[in-house]
């Protein structure tokens, strides 16, 4: 086997053609685009769930603080929107209603408004307590 024949046989084994490289890139992009969009969507869902979790935790803290107080004091509270100390973009409002005068049963409701991806959402927690 001469040098010319070896050169002729190995001509196609030197590398990829431009067409093969382009097709490989197209296939890779077809696979990567949905994967990348999946990760960006999951990042938004994570941010939204973190904001909702923070709002629920703040509402729970405020509810525990209110339940430990005398319900008659709570009836004096005006139902206006107040910001949370560390998170001023989260605002809360307390509503206390006397549901049963005879049993001195009170309903305490804490509403929280907070931003989620440019929109405002509202959650609320409610519980009942009595005059101890």
């Amino acid at each position: 086997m001469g040098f010319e024949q070896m050169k002729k046989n190995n001509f196609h084994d030197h590398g990829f053609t431009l067409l093969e490289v382009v097709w490989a890139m197209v296939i890779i992009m077809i696979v990567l685009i949905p994967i990348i969009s999946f990760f960006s969507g999951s990042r938004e869902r994570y941010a939204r769930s973190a904001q909702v979790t923070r709002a629920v935790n703040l509402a729970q803290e405020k509810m525990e603080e209110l339940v430990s107080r005398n319900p008659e004091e709570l009836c004096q509270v005006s139902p206006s929107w107040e910001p949370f100390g560390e998170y001023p973009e989260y605002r809360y409002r307390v509503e206390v209603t006397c549901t049963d005068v005879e049993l001195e049963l009170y309903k305490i409701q804490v509403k929280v408004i907070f931003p989620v991806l440019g929109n405002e959402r509202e959650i609320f927690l409610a519980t009942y307590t009595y005059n101890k």
Side-chain angles (χ1 to χ4, degrees):
M1 190 187 274
F3 179 71
E4 288 295 320
Q5 193 165 353
M6 281 178 56
K7 191 175 178 186
K8 197 176 196 181
N9 287 342
N10 290 333
F11 178 71
H12 294 291
D13 294 337
H14 279 296
F16 298 108
T17 65
L18 181 61
L19 186 60
E20 290 171 330
V21 171
V22 169
W23 276 111
M25 289 176 64
V26 166
I27 291 170
I28 289 171
M29 292 309 291
I30 288 172
V31 171
L32 283 181
I33 288 174
I35 291 173
I36 290 170
S37 66
F38 172 75
F39 285 122
S40 68
S42 67
R43 193 178 86 223
E44 289 175 4
R45 285 187 292 275
Y46 171 76
R48 186 178 318 129
S49 68
Q51 291 169 325
V52 171
T53 301
R54 182 176 293 129
V56 170
N57 287 337
L58 291 170
Q60 181 67 35
E61 286 177 21
K62 184 54 70 176
M63 180 66 76
E64 289 174 6
E65 173 191 322
L66 295 170
V67 168
S68 67
R69 292 169 53 185
N70 186 348
E72 290 176 353
E73 293 175 18
L74 298 175
C75 292
Q76 312 297 327
V77 176
S78 65
S80 61
W81 291 102
E82 301 289 330
F84 283 99
E86 292 181 41
Y87 305 99
E89 65 275 9
Y90 291 77
R91 298 184 317 270
Y92 71 93
R93 182 171 74 186
V94 176
E95 296 175 6
V96 179
T97 54
C98 182
T99 56
D100 192 336
V101 177
E102 221 175 89
L103 295 175
E104 295 183 3
L105 186 65
Y106 298 90
K107 178 182 178 184
I108 303 172
Q109 185 172 15
V110 177
K111 292 184 180 181
V112 178
I113 291 179
F114 58 99
V116 174
L117 300 174
N119 298 323
E120 279 196 340
R121 280 195 61 189
E122 179 179 328
I123 63 155
F124 71 91
L125 297 178
T127 190
Y128 289 90
T129 187
Y130 64 95
N131 197 2
K132 303 166 186 132

